[in-house]
Amino acid sequence: MSFLLIKNVDKSYEKGKPVLKDFSLELTKGKITSLIGESGSGKSTLLRIIAGTENKDSGVVSLAGENILGPKEKLVPGYDEIQLVYQDYKLFPNSTVSENIQRPLLQYDKEYRFQRLESILTLLGLQPFRDKLPKELSGGQQQKVAIGRALSLEPSLILLDEPFSSLDTIQRRELIYELKTMFQKLNITVLFVTHDLDDALQMSDSLIIIRKGKIVQSGDVESIFLKPKNLYSAKLFSHLNAIPETKNSYIRPSDVSLYKSSGLKTKVVDKQYLIHYNQLTVELANGHLWQIEDKKRFFEVGDQVFLKWEKGNEISF
């Protein structure tokens, strides 16, 4: 039985343009899943519908067999067992870390509030910052406080809406690893929404690709990478080079080998130094441009370079 079930959900706004179209999704309990798509693809709208803070036009959303109702159907929108964490944190600026985390627990017993607070502060490594205001914290620490506040109600489902978009690379990498480990330890179901593939790959092994309100592919990361169903899914992972004299057949830069005298003849027209290789832009005889990876950093702008790849590595649609 699915833990989170979304079936045939439709959503349009005032102008009638569909945001979600016949959208269906199932998540199992305790699994971390990344939902990736371009801006405007319906990701954030979907999270609000799941959380019960946005109305859907049709369809069903249920958690552990209980239907999730929208604001038009429920007097007080939202559910304690489903917590949505936003990219802009939404912390109370004049409240301390402890006060922000405890805020959802104001109606609970004082002893329980204290125990829950101490547990979360320890879990997230926020003990040294318990009396600080949000403005005194780094972006990563503020995001931890926002997640700590969400965890205070002991939810069974956490929804993360672009939570790392305002963090620098180092903060983001460290926080993703820490949170992934924590969520797995707590056995919490997580749906992580992002437009950044690197973040998605670091957070989970299960990927859902959404475009224009529809799922275009889902599954484990390796399967999607090796057998993308469409050009959009393939391009999420890397640039694609169109193979001459073929129809809709491509090769990834990482699958191309470079030689001095044998293969597809090209000329280097641009070179960019990247961490693990030089990215070369080469011009083919037909005038088309390819991107390739010079891992030995051998070739320079103006050089001739010959290209080969193993049969079977092509991507075709």
Side-chain angles (χ1 to χ4, degrees), residues 176-241:
I176 288 175
Y177 176 78
E178 189 174 346
L179 292 178
K180 178 181 179 179
T181 302
M182 181 190 70
F183 290 141
Q184 289 173 334
K185 180 180 178 182
L186 295 174
N187 196 36
I188 293 177
T189 308
V190 177
L191 183 57
F192 168 51
V193 159
T194 181
H195 65 272
D196 190 305
L197 180 64
D198 287 340
D199 287 356
L201 298 184
Q202 290 178 66
M203 178 62 82
S204 69
D205 297 321
S206 181
L207 200 62
I208 298 168
I209 302 172
I210 180 174
R211 191 183 191 202
K212 296 180 180 179
K214 291 185 175 181
I215 293 176
V216 296
Q217 192 166 359
S218 62
D220 66 273
V221 173
E222 184 178 359
S223 296
I224 296 176
F225 176 79
L226 294 175
K227 294 184 178 180
K229 290 182 177 179
N230 50 66
L231 194 60
Y232 182 76
S233 294
K235 281 187 172 181
L236 279 176
F237 289 89
S238 74
H239 177 81
L240 295 180
N241 297 313

Side-chain angles (χ1 to χ4, degrees), residues 25-87:
L25 172 66
E26 295 183 39
L27 296 184
T28 54
K29 185 171 177 56
K31 189 173 183 179
I32 302 174
T33 303
S34 293
L35 179 69
I36 186 168
E38 59 197 358
S39 297
S41 59
K43 306 186 301 296
S44 296
T45 299
L46 175 65
L47 289 194
R48 293 194 298 271
I49 289 174
I50 296 173
T53 59
E54 177 84 55
N55 294 305
K56 57 187 180 296
D57 297 334
S58 60
V60 175
V61 178
S62 65
L63 184 72
E66 178 188 356
N67 282 350
I68 301 301
L69 307 178
K72 288 182 179 179
E73 307 165 292
K74 192 170 183 283
L75 184 61
V76 181
Y79 293 80
D80 287 353
E81 59 265 38
I82 305 172
Q83 291 297 308
L84 174 54
V85 180
Y86 299 90
Q87 59 180 308

Side-chain angles (χ1 to χ4, degrees), residues 1-2 9 40 46 51 64 66 113-114 117 122-123 141 155 158 184 189 200 203 214 216 256 265 295 303 314:
M1 179 179 177
S2 300
V9 167
L46 175 65
E66 178 188 356
R113 289 204 313 267
F114 176 77
L117 170 64
T122 301
L123 186 67
Q141 290 164 347
I158 291 278
Q184 289 173 334
T189 308
M203 178 62 82
K214 291 185 175 181
V216 296
V256 178
K265 184 179 179 181
K295 298 178 177 65
D303 288 349
E314 301 92 344

